[in-house]
Amino acid sequence: MSQHDMVIDNQAGAAFRADLNNALAAIATNQSGSVEPNPSFPFQFWADTGNGLLKQRNAANTAWIKLGPLGVANFGLIMPGTVAFHAKSAAPAGWLKCNGGAVSRTTYAELFAEIGTSFGAGDGSTTFNLPELRGEFVRAWDDGRGVDSGRSFASIQLGSVESHRHTFRAAFNGTGTSGSIAQYGANGQAEGPQLSTEITGAGETRPRNIALLACIKY
């Protein structure tokens, strides 16, 4: 658990050996600590114990790139803005619930850089909104295909039932003969009857489903 500037000073004896050992220890521990190594160099690794993240310096040596959480096997780079479902009621480290909440543009700067105000501008200056996915089905954006035309990205679509027709046939005159139903008005002309069916079903149209927690990477 050490850090080092990776510069071995021109020293003699024990001081030189101690400086070299500290540099090697820093490499072995990925420069671990809650304060970033200074100075830094391109492609340097840093175990940020303050935020529980493994980071790497970019090629220009101007910023740290988040590689993933410390102590998690098979971690990989997941881009901010990625949405996934979690089989737990709480969001894991590095993720936020997709609950439409307003969050800081500074604290979650990388996420804000990806999604901006697509899902809401928050207070208009210091916050922005996360996607609101609670209780929603997700439909892939049409993006010009024409199957779900007229939709803008991140827009909400209300429920609907596709237009269709119901045909009624019934026995009449007590004869048991089946045929179309018609009624006659005062002028003797056949008119379409006003028919309706009993109301059945639930309060919404839905497929069989399971509830999981929608989360977004920041």
Side-chain angles (χ1 to χ4, degrees):
M1 302 288 289
S2 62
Q3 296 191 27
H4 198 275
D5 59 9
M6 297 300 145
V7 176
I8 306 300
D9 296 327
N10 186 13
Q11 306 171 77
F16 172 80
R17 185 170 60 252
D19 198 15
L20 181 60
N21 285 338
N22 287 336
L24 294 174
I27 294 173
T29 59
N30 288 317
Q31 294 282 89
S32 62
S34 59
V35 179
E36 68 180 62
N38 185 25
S40 59
F41 51 90
F43 305 113
Q44 177 182 6
F45 286 103
W46 169 38
D48 181 0
T49 58
N51 294 298
L53 294 170
L54 178 63
K55 300 179 179 179
Q56 185 180 40
R57 199 69 172 169
N58 65 5
N61 195 23
T62 57
W64 291 98
I65 302 170
K66 297 177 183 178
L67 299 182
L70 293 174
V72 176
N74 299 320
F75 69 83
L77 177 62
I78 301 177
M79 291 295 296
T82 299
V83 172
F85 289 94
H86 191 48
K88 187 178 180 181
S89 60
W95 298 73
L96 295 170
K97 292 183 178 181
C98 289
N99 59 9
V103 296
S104 170
R105 299 186 183 190
T106 302
T107 303
Y108 302 104
E110 292 182 51
L111 176 58
F112 181 62
E114 285 296 318
I115 71 173
T117 58
S118 294
F119 302 92
D123 64 4
S125 58
T126 65
T127 64
F128 67 104
N129 291 93
L130 303 173
E132 172 60 280
L133 296 184
R134 293 175 297 177
E136 301 284 1
F137 288 104
V138 177
R139 183 174 190 172
W141 180 38
D142 185 277
D143 196 17
R145 182 184 179 191
V147 174
D148 185 28
S149 59
R151 295 285 304 282
S152 59
F153 179 76
S155 63
I156 295 173
Q157 188 176 60
L158 299 179
S160 67
V161 177
E162 188 173 7
S163 177
H164 61 284
R165 182 190 304 274
H166 292 277
T167 300
F168 295 89
R169 298 185 69 82
F172 51 90
N173 292 332
T175 63
T177 303
S178 178
S180 299
I181 299 175
Q183 66 181 20
Y184 293 87
N187 60 3
Q189 299 297 313
E191 298 177 344
Q194 300 298 313
L195 302 174
S196 64
T197 61
E198 293 183 357
I199 298 175
T200 61
E204 63 177 358
T205 301
R206 62 174 181 263
R208 181 172 173 170
N209 61 85
I210 185 171
L212 295 175
L213 180 66
C215 303
I216 188 167
K217 187 74 175 68
Y218 66 80

